[in-house]
């Protein structure tokens, strides 16, 4: 039950942090949050621990949890590494993916693409998450999969915001289609390139990404 309630509380706190409603340095008092959400402190503590794992919250001795400071440069550095990790996953997947994994990957893309003309942002994000997870697994490198999942957790709130950029769901789905076909056909070099391009934020996508961030991210970069 506590985990279930934590799962409900987590996206609310994530949204408040990444949009600037809860600013860096804000103390996140467990008792106050428990009263706000109408729960015990146990699911609040679990949600805060998970936010700490994603880098959005710092838990300090005797001070408790506070909203962490993060800058655009921090985010770009993480996205740069994420692009390389996922590109490596895709390259290895193109060489090692099994027939059942190919079918599962294609089905995951079909489920994503079914939402490409909608504004079902949260549902698309979850399906997108599943597709990328399948790519990690298809690399058949457990260490790489673990590292990719860990960094993805840290970037998850910001990747969730990305899909809300107008036209991004359709563009993302089209990019998925090309990279899935490259993996399934065994074209490792193309799969690597397409995946890197899919995750990397540059050019117009960088400007669009900045538009999703609250002002304190930009101030932290100064």
């Amino acid at each position: 039950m506590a985990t279930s309630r934590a799962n409900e509380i987590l996206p609310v706190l994530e949204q408040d942090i990444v949009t600037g409603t809860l600013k860096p340095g804000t103390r996140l008092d467990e008792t106050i949050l428990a009263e706000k959400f109408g729960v015990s402190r146990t699911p609040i503590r679990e949600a805060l621990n998970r936010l700490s794992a994603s880098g959005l919250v710092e838990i300090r001795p005797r001070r408790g949890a506070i909203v962490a400071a993060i800058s655009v440069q921090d985010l770009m550095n993480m996205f740069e590494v994420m692009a390389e990790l996922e590109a490596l996953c895709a390259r290895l997947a193109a060489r090692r993916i099994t027939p059942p994994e190919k079918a599962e990957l294609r089905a995951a893309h079909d489920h994503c693409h079914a939402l490409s003309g909608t504004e079902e942002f949260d549902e698309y994000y979850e399906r997108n998450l599943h597709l990328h997870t399948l790519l990690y697994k298809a690399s058949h490198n457990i260490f790489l999969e673990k590292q990719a999942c860990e960094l993805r957790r840290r970037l998850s709130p910001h990747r969730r915001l990305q899909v809300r950029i107008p036209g991004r769901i359709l563009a993302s789905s089209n990019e998925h289609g090309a990279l899935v076909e490259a993996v399934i056909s065994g074209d490792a070099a193309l799969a690597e390139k397409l995946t890197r391009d899919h995750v990397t934020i540059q050019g117009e996508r960088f400007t669009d990404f900045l538009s999703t961030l609250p002002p304190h991210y930009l101030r932290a970069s100064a």
Side-chain angles (χ1 to χ4, degrees):
M1 180 64 72
T3 296
S4 175
R5 295 295 283 130
N7 289 339
E8 297 171 4
I9 294 164
L10 183 67
V12 177
L13 291 177
E14 279 184 346
Q15 182 79 0
D16 285 348
I17 291 171
V18 299
T19 58
T21 301
L22 291 171
K23 293 179 171 52
T26 300
R27 185 167 179 267
L28 301 172
D29 185 275
E30 290 182 9
T31 301
I32 293 174
L33 290 174
E35 291 176 358
K36 174 183 176 180
F37 289 101
V39 298
S40 70
R41 292 172 61 181
T42 300
I44 296 296
R45 189 174 299 115
E46 181 176 341
L48 292 178
N49 284 333
R50 287 160 65 180
L51 287 169
S52 176
S54 70
L56 291 179
V57 162
E58 294 179 24
I59 299 179
R60 299 178 177 178
R62 295 181 296 280
R63 287 193 60 189
I66 64 169
V67 177
I70 190 169
S71 68
V72 171
Q73 188 60 54
D74 293 331
L75 289 175
M76 298 312 298
N77 288 341
M78 286 189 282
F79 270 105
E80 186 174 54
V81 175
M82 188 80 254
E84 294 304 317
L85 288 177
E86 294 212 23
L88 178 56
C89 286
R91 176 161 64 86
L92 293 178
R95 290 163 40 190
R96 300 172 178 177
I97 192 168
T98 66
E101 288 172 336
K102 288 182 180 181
E104 194 173 7
L105 185 62
R106 194 183 295 278
H109 169 57
D110 289 343
H111 290 152
C112 278
H113 195 64
L115 296 176
S116 60
T118 74
E119 293 187 352
E120 298 290 337
F121 303 116
D122 291 334
E123 178 65 21
Y124 180 82
Y125 177 77
E126 294 302 325
R127 294 185 185 187
N128 168 77
L129 201 63
H130 178 59
L131 185 149
H132 283 263
T133 299
L134 292 177
L135 276 176
Y136 305 163
K137 289 184 179 298
S139 73
H140 292 273
N141 183 313
I142 295 175
F143 180 78
L144 175 61
E145 179 185 347
K146 181 179 179 180
Q147 296 304 307
C149 286
E150 179 62 30
L151 184 51
R152 184 184 68 188
R153 275 193 292 273
R154 297 203 63 181
L155 287 171
S156 177
H158 301 94
R159 293 181 81 164
R160 188 185 292 275
L161 283 181
Q162 274 188 290
V163 302
R164 293 179 176 272
I165 296 171
R168 182 57 197 156
I169 286 182
L170 179 59
S172 173
S173 183
N174 288 338
E175 291 165 13
H176 283 164
L179 70 89
V180 165
E181 289 305 316
V183 169
I184 289 175
S185 67
D187 191 332
L190 181 59
E192 180 179 23
K193 179 184 183 304
L194 291 175
T195 304
R196 182 181 292 111
D197 292 345
H198 176 66
V199 179
T200 300
I201 300 178
Q202 58 188 2
E204 290 183 359
R205 284 184 59 192
F206 177 69
T207 303
D208 291 340
F209 178 66
L210 289 183
S211 73
T212 70
L213 300 176
H216 68 261
Y217 281 79
L218 301 177
R219 289 196 296 270
S221 300

